[in-house]
Amino acid sequence: MVSVLFVCLGNICRSPTAEGVFRQLCENQGVISGLRIDSAGTAGWHEGKTPDGRAVAAARQHGIDLTSLRARQISPSDFYSFDYILAMDGDNLSELQQCRPPDSTADIRLFLSYAIQCEQTDVPDPYYGGDEGFEQVLELTRNASACLLMHLIARGQVAAVEP
Ligand code: 4NP
């Protein structure tokens, strides 16, 4: 079982979208039983809330339902219980590096570091912008999710399914 935690600032826009996109991909590829997928925020402002309505609407366009997700703040135990902790932007990554326990076992990096043919390093924060920002989050997370799954399969952490 490999575990992946997606992290942004508020856990209501980017990281729940990444969680939903990656989960749908893994379900469609028949590998979901080998994975634990979750998301969290570096901040706890929106603890217990459903994802932002604009994120829910953008995900729904791609057949992904985010309405069962609830925001939570990252906790110290996450740094031991997840194999991968993937930050949406450089600020999230700095925050994670500052608050990680020194003996944390998780592989902490930028989510887009897995994305192929992608010049961006950050998934831009769409919270204060328009709907197009949420569509861009979908596009970036779809690309990076496919690359992340290939990485996990190549490392033997997820069993590839015969076509
Ligand atoms: P997220 O977006 O980090 O992608 O969930 C944000 C959500 C809320 C806020 C900022 C960013 N906020 O300032 O409340």
Side-chain angles (χ1 to χ4, degrees), residues 8-16 45-46 92 125-128:
C8 61
L9 176 59
N11 193 211
I12 55 169
C13 299
R14 292 165 293 173
S15 61
W45 307 319
H46 300 281
N92 309 147
D125 184 349
Y127 188 66
Y128 293 106

Side-chain angles (χ1 to χ4, degrees), residues 43-144:
W45 307 319
H46 300 281
E47 193 94 41
K49 285 199 206 150
T50 50
D52 187 288
R54 297 164 296 173
V56 171
R60 192 176 290 133
Q61 301 269 327
H62 295 265
I64 299 167
D65 180 14
L66 301 182
T67 57
S68 65
L69 303 182
R70 296 293 179 272
R72 71 174 182 90
Q73 187 170 21
I74 191 160
S75 73
S77 65
D78 290 321
F79 290 91
Y80 303 101
S81 72
F82 284 92
D83 300 309
Y84 292 89
I85 300 182
L86 302 178
M88 294 297 132
D89 67 28
D91 288 345
N92 309 147
L93 183 63
S94 306
E95 192 71 35
L96 289 170
Q97 280 162 345
Q98 274 170 38
C99 69
R100 77 187 269 272
D103 59 345
S104 156
T105 47
D107 184 337
I108 303 169
R109 62 180 71 211
L110 287 170
F111 182 33
L112 292 191
S113 66
Y114 290 104
I116 293 165
Q117 291 181 334
C118 176
E119 311 221 315
Q120 281 173 254
T121 56
D122 290 357
V123 180
D125 184 349
Y127 188 66
Y128 293 106
D131 289 343
E132 66 287 348
F134 286 84
E135 189 46 46
Q136 192 193 16
V137 171
L138 252 298
E139 251 168 61
L140 289 168
T141 55
R142 290 178 80 198
N143 175 7

Side-chain angles (χ1 to χ4, degrees), residues 150-160:
M150 283 194 289
H151 170 85
L152 297 175
I153 291 171
R155 292 196 62 183
Q157 290 181 296
V158 169

